[in-house]
Amino acid sequence: MGPLPRTVELFYDVLSPYSWLGFEILCRYKNVWNIQLQLRPSLIAGIMKDSGSLTAMRFLTAVNMEHPEMLEKASRELWMRVWSRDEDITDPQSILAAAEKAGMSTQQARGLLEKTSAPQVKNKLKETTEAACKYGAFGLPVTVAHVDGQTHMLFGSDRMELLAHLLGEKWMGPVPPGVGAKL
Amino acid sequence: MGPLPRTVELFYDVLSPYSWLGFEILCRYKNVWNIQLQLRPSLIAGIMKDSGSLTAMRFLTAVNMEHPEMLEKASRELWMRVWSRDEDITDPQSILAAAEKAGMSTQQARGLLEKTSAPQVKNKLKETTEAACKYGAFGLPVTVAHVDGQTHMLFGSDRMELLAHLLGEKWMGPVPPGVGAKL
């Protein structure tokens, strides 16, 4: 008799394509690894409800309204925190740290952070989110190409070749020649 | 003078790692393709709020409560619809069609569909979703391994090698030898 099976729970929603990948792999491995696989259907909407990016996205909204030239850098520094260095992005101090790394002065960053509680900023973030929903978004990222008076909505980050086709341009992989990509 | 730049909007939330991939690629290509890139910070929680899987996930919850042996097949058939064949999963007829493909009789499928409005089923889905949140979930899939009295939470479908390590097992890629994987 082998060792007792270990329990592995898989929480998933059929709306999540990566949940499907995890599901198929675990279904294949459950006997190979002798695990007791507990399938746990859950609601992604409930999980994302308080997912913690509200202040960060309000901050970026304020950046976009007041200093749009800083939006790219400020967004990247927040991603660097949460998805590269596994650091917090919910605390105001975390957002200020990202803003300063993006090249803002402490004073400028604090001013924008204060604006996250202004109705104009809150409403602007709501409007942008609603605009995405109107285009048919059911997740992010969503890219909307406006070509020849037509609108094309693309979900995810793996349809860039299709975007290139819609634009009549050439897809040359994630790092096009001549672009110095550090990431 | 070349053609006028076409507008491309990118809706994103820094909580979404695939948004980051799309963002970096579009930032690199904006000059190469001569597009006017509009960065549109939005709130993923707001986009997922009414994302449409509520009835499907209540249905799977009812399947799990009444016929747990059918849960794997019924889940797979819903994924086949939404992520393989680009078909609807919000309409009751769509859910019935998936259930019948999974091997249920019409009568059985209809009975389970009726149960999606029962408080026990609604509450069970809420409980499971809350359980995932308590483990620290901020998206799906979430895998929770219970090993030697300890709990390990893994986010996403690309940490299977880490899961194997935690279990003291070997990771042999997405299709382990000897498993007949059709997908």
Side-chain angles (χ1 to χ4, degrees), chain B residues 14-35:
Chain B
V14 292
L15 211 65
S16 153
Y18 290 95
S19 287
W20 192 12
L21 301 185
F23 169 91
E24 293 296 347
I25 288 171
L26 290 177
C27 287
R28 288 170 199 160
Y29 269 92
K30 64 184 171 188
N31 295 323
V32 179
W33 287 348
N34 188 33
I35 52 174

Side-chain angles (χ1 to χ4, degrees), chain B residues 97-174:
Chain B
E100 289 181 32
K101 275 220 167 196
M104 289 184 206
S105 69
T106 309
Q107 196 189 353
Q108 191 181 25
R110 283 187 186 281
L112 289 164
L113 191 62
E114 274 173 28
K115 295 231 161 68
T116 58
S117 51
Q120 297 92 313
V121 170
K122 292 181 180 179
N123 288 336
K124 179 71 185 166
L125 177 58
K126 268 189 207 155
E127 279 166 33
T128 307
T129 304
E130 279 161 20
C133 290
K134 273 187 199 149
Y135 282 126
F138 50 90
L140 290 176
V142 155
T143 304
V144 178
H146 300 265
V147 187
D148 297 332
Q150 287 203 305
T151 294
H152 305 269
M153 191 276 264
L154 299 166
F155 171 64
S157 60
D158 55 354
R159 298 179 193 188
M160 294 299 171
E161 195 158 6
L162 187 51
L163 176 64
H165 177 77
L166 289 169
L167 294 167
E169 299 286 350
K170 202 178 158 190
W171 170 241
M172 295 168 282

Side-chain angles (χ1 to χ4, degrees), chain A residues 9 12 24 29 75-76 146, chain B residues 9 12 24 75-76 146 173:
Chain A
E9 296 174 84
Y12 66 98
E24 293 296 348
Y29 269 92
S75 302
R76 182 176 292 118
H146 300 265
Chain B
E9 297 174 84
Y12 66 97
E24 293 296 347
S75 302
R76 181 176 292 119
H146 300 265

Side-chain angles (χ1 to χ4, degrees), chain A residues 5-6 24 35-36 43 58 97 102 115 128 163 165 167 172:
Chain A
R6 280 81 33 106
E24 293 296 348
I35 52 175
Q36 180 150 10
L43 195 67
R58 280 184 180 158
K115 296 229 162 69
T128 306
L163 177 63
H165 177 77
L167 295 167
M172 295 168 283

